[in-house]
Amino acid sequence: MIPVLSVNKLSKSYVQHHGLFSKKAITAFAPVSFELEQGKTLAIVGESGSGKSSLAKALTGVITPSSGSICIDGVNMADKDHKQRCCQIRMIFQDPTTSLNPRSQIGRILKSPLLLNTELSEQEMDIRVSDALRQVGLLTEHAQFYPRMLSSGQKQRVALARALILKPKIIVADEVLATLDVSVRSQIINLILDVQREQNISFIMVAHNLGIVRHISDEIIVMHEGHIVEFGPTADVLDNPQHTITQRLLMNQQVQFRK
Amino acid sequence: MANHNVFREDHIRSPLAHSWFLYQQNTIGMVALWALIFILILTVIGPWIAPYPMDHKDVSALLKAPSWVEHGEVHFFLGTDDLGRDLLSQIIYGAQLTFGGAFLTVFLALVIGSVIGIIGGMSSGMQASVLHHFLDTLLSIPSLLLAIIIISVLGPGYFNTLLAVFLALLPLFTRAVYRAVHDELNKEYIIALRLDGATPLRILRYGILPNIVETFVSQTTRALTSAILDITALGFLGLGAQRPLPEWGTMLSDTMELVFLAPWTVTLPGLAILITILIINIVGEGLRQAILKGMD
Ligand SMILES: Nc1ncnc2c1ncn2[C@@H]1O[C@H](COP(=O)(O)OP(=O)(O)O)[C@@H](O)[C@H]1O
Ligand SMILES: [Mg+2]
C-alpha cells in the first residue's frame, strides 16, 4: 500500500540572531524519515524540548524546514505555499483559547478556509459550516457565537471542525488533549476516532499520555533531542521498549499511575 | 408575536459592541464623553457662536470681572483681560487652536504612524530591526524637548508648533503599533489564519486590526494629552502661537503678570486646559477598560 505521507530526511534548525551580525543555529530536530498510511494514526512522544512541536509545525508549514522533503501522495509539499498545503494537511494547535481569534464569530473562523480555497457559493459555505459543526457535536447556532462564549472543550471541537472542513488527508494535532480535563478529553478522543473511521483521515498526534497513545495510535515515534530513537507499531514499542529513553518514559508514567 | 427568547441573550453582541455596552454603564465615562463631544462641537462651530470677533478690544471694559462677581457684566460673561478682550470669546477661539490643533495633529500622526508601524510590524528581518532601533533612539527623547529642538530649527509660530508636535508624536504611534502588530503576528490564531492560505491583507483586516483596538485607543488618549500639553507649553514659553492668537497656553503666559490683579484671566484658560485633559483621560481610560473587559 502506498503511504499517504512520506517524510524524507526532514530537519529544522532555528537561526537565532545575537545583535546585528552574529548568529547561532539551534537544532530542533535532526534529519528524520518516516511514512504514514491512510487512515492510520501516528503518535509522536518524547520529553519536552525534544523537537515534537517543531516537527509538527514543519509538517504543516508553520515553519519552513531546513532540509528534506514532505511528500503527500507523492507530491513534495516542502516548497508549496499554504494554499496548496491546506487542502492536504491541517494543524490543530495545543491551546484552543489562543488558536481561535477572539474577535471572530465561529462561523467566520470556519468559513475562512472555504472562502480562500474553494469556489463554493455563500449558501454552500454556510451548509458546509453547519455540517462541520454538527459533525463535531456542536449546534448550527454556534456559528454566531464568539470564542469567549464557549467552553474549552467546545473550542477544541471548533478547532477540529476547522481542520476537517477542507477535507484534508492528514491532520496534525500538537498536544491537543493536554489542556483539557479528563472527561472532556475522552469525549474529544472518541470524536477523533469517529471522524477518522468515517473519513479515513490520517492523524499525527503529538501526545504525552502513553495510555492514550496506546489506545488511539497505530504507530509511534519516540523522539529524544531531535532524533527518532524508536519507531514502530505502538503495541510492539510500548510492550517491548528497546531504547532507554522509551523505557524511561514508560517508567515515569507508571510511577504517576501508582500514585 | 410572542417573544420566545426571554431567557436567552436576544442577540449576540460582537466583542466591540459588548465593550460599547459596558462603557455605557459607566456614568462618569458617559458624562465625560458628552463633554468631549461638546468640546468637539464648540471647536467646529466656535467662530459662529463666540459673542465677539477674535481681535475685538473694548477699551471701555478693561479687566472686567466674570459676570457672577460684583462689578461683572453679563455681556462679558467670563470677564475681560487688560486689553478689553472678552475671555469667553477668546477661550472659544482658543479651543480651535489648542484642542482642534491637537486633534488634527494626533489624527494625522495616528494615520501615518499606524501605516508605518503596520508595514514595519508585518515585515521582518533587516528592515524591521533598523526601524526598531531608530524609533528606540527617537523615543528616548521626551516629546516636549523634541518639539523644542524642532521649533528651534523651524522658528517659533503656531504652524511650526503643530509640525513639531506631529513629528514628536509620529515615533510614538509608530512604535506602539509596530509592537502590537509584531506581538499579534506570533499568536496562534494568526498562524492558523495564515495556514488557511490568507493573504497578508486579510490577516491584517480580520486577524490583527480587531485585536489591537486597545492599543489605538490608549495611544490616542496619551497622544492627545501630550499634544495639548506640548502646544500649550510651547505657547506659554513664547515659542508657539503668538498673540493675538488666543491659544490657551499663550493666553496664560500673556496674563501671568495679572495673576493678583485679575486672577480670572489666568485661572480660566488654565481651567480650560485642565478640564479638557481630564475629560480626554476619563474617556480614554474608560474605553480602554471597556475594551479589555469586553474580551472576556
Ligand atoms: N522559535 C524558536 N526559536 C529558537 N529555538 C526554538 C524555537 N522553538 C523551539 N526551539 C527549540 O527547539 C527545540 C525543540 O523545541 P520543541 O519543538 O518546542 O520541542 P517539544 O515540542 O518537544 O517540547 C528546543 O530546544 C527549543 O528550545
Ligand atoms: Mg511542544
Side-chain angles (χ1 to χ4, degrees):
Chain A
M1 194 173 162
I2 306 164
V4 61
L5 172 75
S6 72
V7 173
N8 197 9
K9 297 204 183 74
L10 192 71
S11 79
K12 172 70 189 178
S13 50
Y14 291 102
V15 181
Q16 275 191 335
H17 292 271
H18 296 279
L20 217 48
F21 298 110
S22 64
K23 45 185 155 180
K24 208 175 86 185
I26 299 172
T27 308
F29 56 91
V32 295
S33 307
F34 59 89
E35 291 181 342
L36 179 62
E37 282 173 16
Q38 189 168 19
K40 300 283 186 206
T41 300
L42 170 71
I44 304 177
V45 299
E47 301 155 334
S48 76
S50 55
K52 307 182 299 287
S53 296
S54 302
L55 179 56
K57 286 179 187 165
L59 288 175
T60 49
V62 178
I63 55 176
T64 40
S66 309
S67 70
S69 66
I70 305 161
C71 294
I72 298 176
D73 283 343
V75 182
N76 186 5
M77 287 285 144
D79 48 358
K80 296 273 160 66
D81 65 15
H82 296 310
K83 258 192 143 88
Q84 290 160 306
R85 269 170 201 256
C86 63
C87 298
Q88 311 282 338
I89 186 164
R90 296 284 278 169
M91 173 139 183
I92 307 178
F93 294 89
Q94 171 168 3
D95 189 355
T97 50
T98 57
S99 69
L100 301 178
N101 187 347
R103 303 276 189 206
S104 283
Q105 283 170 319
I106 303 302
R108 195 161 78 209
I109 293 175
L110 294 181
K111 222 190 248 180
S112 133
L114 294 176
L115 202 70
L116 292 161
N117 298 290
T118 61
E119 308 283 299
L120 297 178
S121 72
E122 197 70 19
Q123 254 174 338
E124 289 168 319
M125 278 195 275
D126 285 336
I127 293 170
R128 277 280 278 273
V129 167
S130 55
D131 284 350
L133 282 172
R134 253 174 290 143
Q135 192 182 8
V136 297
L138 295 171
L139 304 170
T140 308
E141 286 83 64
H142 281 116
Q144 264 87 52
F145 281 39
Y146 286 86
R148 72 182 151 89
M149 301 165 147
L150 303 179
S151 70
S152 63
Q154 286 174 317
K155 281 184 211 168
Q156 202 56 284
R157 285 169 192 262
V158 174
L160 182 61
R162 171 168 63 189
L164 288 170
I165 203 160
L166 285 174
K167 304 196 193 308
K169 300 199 174 76
I170 305 160
I171 290 178
V172 180
D174 186 3
E175 303 209 36
V176 289
L177 303 168
T179 55
L180 304 174
D181 50 42
V182 182
S183 61
V184 182
R185 197 182 287 176
S186 49
Q187 287 173 11
I188 299 283
I189 292 172
N190 288 334
L191 182 59
I192 288 176
L193 291 176
D194 286 348
V195 165
Q196 184 165 32
R197 210 171 311 123
E198 279 168 28
Q199 303 197 356
N200 211 15
I201 296 175
S202 309
F203 270 88
I204 296 178
M205 308 268 292
V206 176
H208 199 69
N209 187 321
L210 293 178
I212 295 177
V213 166
R214 189 192 287 271
H215 178 55
I216 60 173
S217 70
D218 306 293
E219 293 193 274
I220 187 170
I221 284 179
V222 182
M223 288 188 75
H224 179 62
E225 291 180 348
H227 294 272
I228 294 183
V229 295
E230 220 166 334
F231 174 37
T234 307
D236 294 357
V237 171
L238 292 186
D239 289 338
N240 186 16
Q242 299 296 315
H243 201 276
T244 44
I245 296 297
T246 320
Q247 289 162 0
R248 203 157 65 196
L249 279 175
L250 272 166
M251 216 144 78
N252 278 344
Q253 299 218 345
Q254 271 155 14
V255 172
Q256 276 172 9
F257 285 141
R258 248 181 250 138
K259 255 193 268 183
Chain B
M1 207 177 84
N3 186 359
H4 298 291
N5 291 340
V6 187
F7 297 107
R8 265 189 31 200
E9 264 186 281
D10 40 354
H11 63 284
I12 293 165
R13 285 193 212 101
S14 78
L16 280 186
H18 186 60
S19 299
W20 173 235
F21 173 78
L22 287 176
Y23 185 80
Q24 283 174 311
Q25 316 298 308
N26 171 357
T27 318
I28 298 178
M30 281 312 278
V31 171
L33 185 63
W34 282 115
L36 190 66
I37 291 171
F38 174 75
I39 297 179
L40 258 175
I41 293 173
L42 200 68
T43 305
V44 175
I45 63 167
W48 289 283
I49 60 161
Y52 297 94
M54 192 170 84
D55 44 10
H56 178 83
K57 299 187 181 93
D58 191 339
V59 262
S60 62
L62 302 182
L63 293 178
K64 277 264 183 262
S67 55
W68 57 88
V69 185
E70 246 182 300
H71 312 301
E73 284 175 41
V74 127
H75 49 271
F76 294 115
F77 188 71
L78 295 180
T80 61
D81 65 5
D82 52 342
L83 293 178
R85 291 177 289 208
D86 177 43
L87 272 177
L88 178 62
S89 314
Q90 297 276 301
I91 286 179
I92 291 176
Y93 286 111
Q96 209 160 51
L97 295 169
T98 307
F99 180 75
F103 194 85
L104 276 185
T105 316
V106 168
F107 180 74
L108 279 181
L110 170 71
V111 171
I112 297 175
S114 302
V115 170
I116 303 175
I118 287 169
I119 293 172
M122 300 277 288
S123 62
S124 56
M126 203 62 183
Q127 239 167 310
S129 136
V130 168
L131 181 74
H132 192 76
H133 289 293
F134 176 68
L135 288 175
D136 272 351
T137 320
L138 262 188
L139 280 170
S140 54
I141 312 170
S143 74
L144 183 59
L145 189 60
L146 196 61
I148 289 179
I149 295 172
I150 295 170
I151 285 284
S152 68
V153 175
L154 299 175
Y158 178 65
F159 181 74
N160 287 352
T161 304
L162 294 190
L163 196 60
V165 171
F166 169 75
L167 290 177
L169 287 179
L170 200 55
L172 215 75
F173 274 114
T174 308
R175 218 256 301 248
V177 173
Y178 171 86
R179 270 265 174 82
V181 170
H182 205 78
D183 289 352
E184 208 59 32
L185 269 184
N186 292 323
K187 301 227 168 115
E188 278 182 347
Y189 53 80
I190 302 291
I191 297 174
L193 207 54
R194 214 167 62 212
L195 291 184
D196 287 348
T199 57
L201 217 61
R202 195 181 160 82
I203 292 175
L204 185 68
R205 164 74 184 78
Y206 292 105
I208 295 173
L209 288 184
N211 285 295
I212 61 171
V213 177
E214 191 255 334
T215 306
F216 285 123
V217 169
S218 63
Q219 282 307 312
T220 307
T221 311
R222 269 173 57 189
L224 261 180
T225 311
S226 116
I228 290 178
L229 283 178
D230 288 357
I231 289 174
T232 50
L234 287 170
F236 187 78
L237 294 174
L239 298 172
Q242 307 289 327
R243 276 306 201 175
L245 289 181
E247 193 276 311
W248 292 343
T250 313
M251 283 172 76
L252 263 185
S253 80
D254 203 30
T255 52
M256 233 15 216
E257 64 266 31
L258 302 174
V259 68
F260 294 112
L261 192 63
W264 61 90
T265 58
V266 180
T267 325
L268 290 171
L271 268 182
I273 297 170
L274 181 74
I275 290 172
T276 309
I277 286 177
L278 205 65
I279 286 170
I280 289 168
N281 278 283
I282 293 173
V283 173
E285 184 58 23
L287 283 177
R288 204 179 66 86
Q289 298 277 353
I291 289 169
L292 286 183
K293 254 194 258 164
M295 291 282 283
D296 43 47

